Amino acid sequence: MFHALVHYHEVALKGRNRGFFEQRMVRHLRSALKNLKAIQVEALPGRIRVSFPEERSWECIHDTLSRTFGVTNFSFARSAPISYVSSDLTKLKEAIRRNIPSNAFTTFRVLTKRAEKRFPKTSMDIDREIGADICEHTGKRVNLSKPDLTIYIEILKHDAYYAFNKEPGPGGLPVGTGGTVLCLMSGGIDSPVAAYRMMKRGCRVVFVHFHGRPYLSRASEEKVRDLVTLLTSYQLSSTLYLVPFGEIQQHIVLGAPAPIRVVLYRRMMMRIAEELARQEEAWALVTGDSLGQVASQTPGNIQVVSEVTGLPILRPLIGMDKIEITEQAQAIQTFETSIEPDQDCCTLFVPPHPNTRARLSEIQHVEKGLDIAGMVRQGIEYVERANYAYPA
Ligand code: ATP
Ligand code: MG
């Protein structure tokens, strides 16, 4: 058997919630790796072990662990039996000698962690003993501060595990531990990054997109579908609601002066999103707003838009600038899709210079002349729902 030893953020997972977090992560990994043959995922004290019979499964496991929130780091490990009675390390030494990538380094160090403190030798004893053995058999030198190779050893209950690598995980908290949130996805650069950031904090994200059909093309919708597919690789299953918004915008256009239309669109989106959030038992709405980026994201307009819903509106990008957001979009590989040309419904019937400081009293006055409840009902009535799963 081969193993991946998975480490998570100890501090965040301490206390009474720890078992809950661990179980979430185990379940997530089992589900993400379900297509691999004879795979076992198990919570051990302080780490999770993924065991697999075929070495070539590692590539897929590596990919999965790199996108599993809650994982701090992980390594490809093999095991060897150890004896607690004699504290003999012969089998471990032999195994390490057999598998060490001799051509890949000239200096090395050994770093041992004992999960099982009952083992009679200390971590330092083991470092020295294994180190001496490798020096003797390979002629390589020890360098504690800047080695070419680090040999990681973990002493567990029945076995010792050894690894020659340590790969970074994405950090964060296991998906599902932060409840469900509903993300307003536009097909632009920002909202996919906002969704990613909430997933990383443990939220299960449900998506809603408002499209301009029949007045606009399907382009934004296709993009959002692609983006949700990409993001589903982090949470394994997703739901996307597609709300036809063109008719609703028509109503608004008939009853409202051009400069405040964007704010009215946004308020309608929030109301419909709130309704869907209640259906999904989501505790918050998420947007890709970044302060001051465009007219609808000024302090005044953010206030006026937020005011329509009782749900918290999370804006994880509010303090980031476009360059930072773009870098993050590239890192999570949503950027290329986001920059494909489309027709955003928010540009429908909107002047080039919308009002950046809409007054709530004016907005409320205009809305009195609109059938707000009817529009919400209409949005909900014609909503389409799509489900996504990863691996497909
Ligand atoms: P993005 O890059 O996410 O499109 P943006 O910089 O283009 O953001 P806006 O178009 O003002 O800014 O949108 C701000 C936020 O409002 C978006 O991040 C998204 O959360 C929400 N939003 C805008 N348009 C839509 C839409 N058609 N469907 C769903 N949500 C939307
Ligand atoms: Mg946009």
Side-chain angles (χ1 to χ4, degrees):
M1 273 293 197
F2 302 96
H3 311 276
L5 288 184
V6 182
H7 296 268
Y8 38 75
H9 200 289
E10 306 278 346
V11 180
L13 306 192
K14 278 226 164 71
R16 284 191 303 147
N17 282 334
R18 182 164 180 159
F20 170 66
F21 281 106
E22 276 174 359
Q23 278 319 309
R24 280 284 172 164
M25 226 149 95
V26 166
R27 253 172 49 194
H28 182 99
L29 289 173
R30 281 186 186 146
S31 175
L33 299 170
K34 64 173 187 245
N35 291 344
L36 291 181
K37 220 171 50 196
I39 192 120
Q40 283 168 32
V41 183
E42 214 183 324
L44 303 179
R47 67 264 291 140
I48 288 168
R49 182 183 63 192
V50 181
S51 304
F52 47 103
E54 292 179 357
E55 192 168 357
R56 67 195 161 112
S57 299
W58 171 245
E59 196 182 330
C60 173
I61 293 167
H62 184 291
D63 181 64
T64 298
L65 291 172
S66 314
R67 56 177 82 233
T68 300
F69 295 125
V71 175
T72 318
N73 60 60
F74 58 94
S75 45
F76 175 88
R78 293 179 172 89
S79 67
I82 44 173
S83 162
Y84 275 67
V85 182
S86 63
S87 77
D88 178 44
L89 299 175
T90 310
K91 291 224 162 65
L92 177 61
K93 287 180 198 161
E94 283 169 5
I96 293 178
R97 267 188 252 137
R98 225 177 11 255
N99 289 297
I100 198 164
S102 297
N103 298 329
F105 72 104
T106 53
T107 60
F108 75 99
R109 70 172 167 169
V110 183
L111 209 57
T112 303
K113 260 199 201 156
R114 283 185 313 166
E116 189 47 81
K117 304 285 187 215
R118 285 179 314 136
F119 192 74
K121 286 178 179 162
T122 67
S123 298
M124 203 114 73
D125 294 338
I126 300 169
D127 289 351
R128 289 211 193 92
E129 194 176 326
I130 302 285
D133 187 69
I134 294 170
C135 286
E136 187 184 324
H137 286 88
T138 63
K140 311 275 182 175
R141 278 179 299 112
V142 170
N143 179 339
L144 294 181
S145 55
K146 233 182 146 223
D148 301 329
L149 180 79
T150 298
I151 301 162
Y152 299 93
I153 296 178
E154 298 188 33
I155 304 291
L156 298 184
K157 207 161 181 172
H158 303 289
D159 299 290
Y161 290 78
Y162 60 96
F164 306 113
N165 70 330
K166 190 164 279 232
E167 314 289 335
L173 297 171
V175 168
T177 58
T180 301
V181 295
L182 180 70
C183 180
L184 286 80
M185 280 279 280
S186 67
I189 296 170
D190 305 335
S191 29
V193 176
Y196 172 86
R197 293 193 79 107
M198 295 321 301
M199 281 180 193
K200 183 165 168 174
R201 290 312 296 167
C203 295
R204 167 163 301 289
V205 178
V206 175
F207 302 91
V208 58
H209 175 64
F210 298 87
H211 62 76
R213 268 192 291 140
Y215 302 99
L216 298 177
S217 73
R218 299 188 77 99
S220 73
E221 207 181 313
E222 298 301 331
K223 277 171 63 174
V224 168
R225 286 180 186 274
D226 290 348
L227 291 166
V228 170
T229 301
L230 282 168
L231 290 167
T232 302
S233 67
Y234 298 98
Q235 63 176 6
L236 308 186
S237 67
S238 303
T239 298
L240 165 64
Y241 288 99
L242 293 156
V243 180
F245 204 57
E247 297 288 345
I248 293 173
Q249 287 178 293
Q250 274 264 304
H251 288 301
I252 294 175
V253 167
L254 293 177
I260 61 166
R261 282 176 194 161
V262 171
V263 169
L264 290 172
Y265 294 168
R266 276 300 140 72
R267 282 166 65 93
M268 279 315 300
M269 286 185 188
M270 289 298 170
R271 291 187 181 103
I272 294 169
E274 175 169 11
E275 201 55 41
L276 294 171
R278 301 226 182 271
Q279 288 179 20
E280 286 284 335
E281 295 180 26
W283 65 274
L285 304 177
V286 179
T287 74
D289 292 325
S290 146
L291 189 61
Q293 200 186 82
V294 290
S296 60
Q297 299 170 21
T298 59
N301 286 349
I302 284 181
Q303 258 188 315
V304 171
V305 170
S306 306
E307 186 263 350
V308 287
T309 169
L311 286 177
I313 301 176
L314 309 178
R315 298 179 168 91
L317 313 185
I318 197 73
M320 291 170 76
D321 50 55
K322 198 75 190 186
I323 294 174
E324 292 171 309
I325 299 170
T326 301
E327 279 170 4
Q328 180 119 84
Q330 281 162 336
I332 63 170
Q333 285 155 20
T334 52
F335 182 75
E336 293 299 321
T337 305
S338 289
I339 58 171
E340 282 167 23
D342 70 349
Q343 292 178 299
D344 181 1
C345 71
C346 289
T347 56
L348 205 56
F349 322 118
V350 163
H353 299 291
N355 191 340
T356 55
R357 233 196 282 173
R359 284 214 330 276
L360 184 58
S361 55
E362 186 194 353
I363 299 284
Q364 284 169 335
H365 177 73
V366 171
E367 284 182 349
K368 278 213 180 76
L370 298 168
D371 179 13
I372 299 289
M375 289 193 281
V376 172
R377 239 181 292 121
Q378 185 186 348
I380 298 292
E381 190 177 334
Y382 294 106
V383 71
E384 291 168 66
R385 194 190 147 122
N387 291 316
Y388 296 79
Y390 180 91

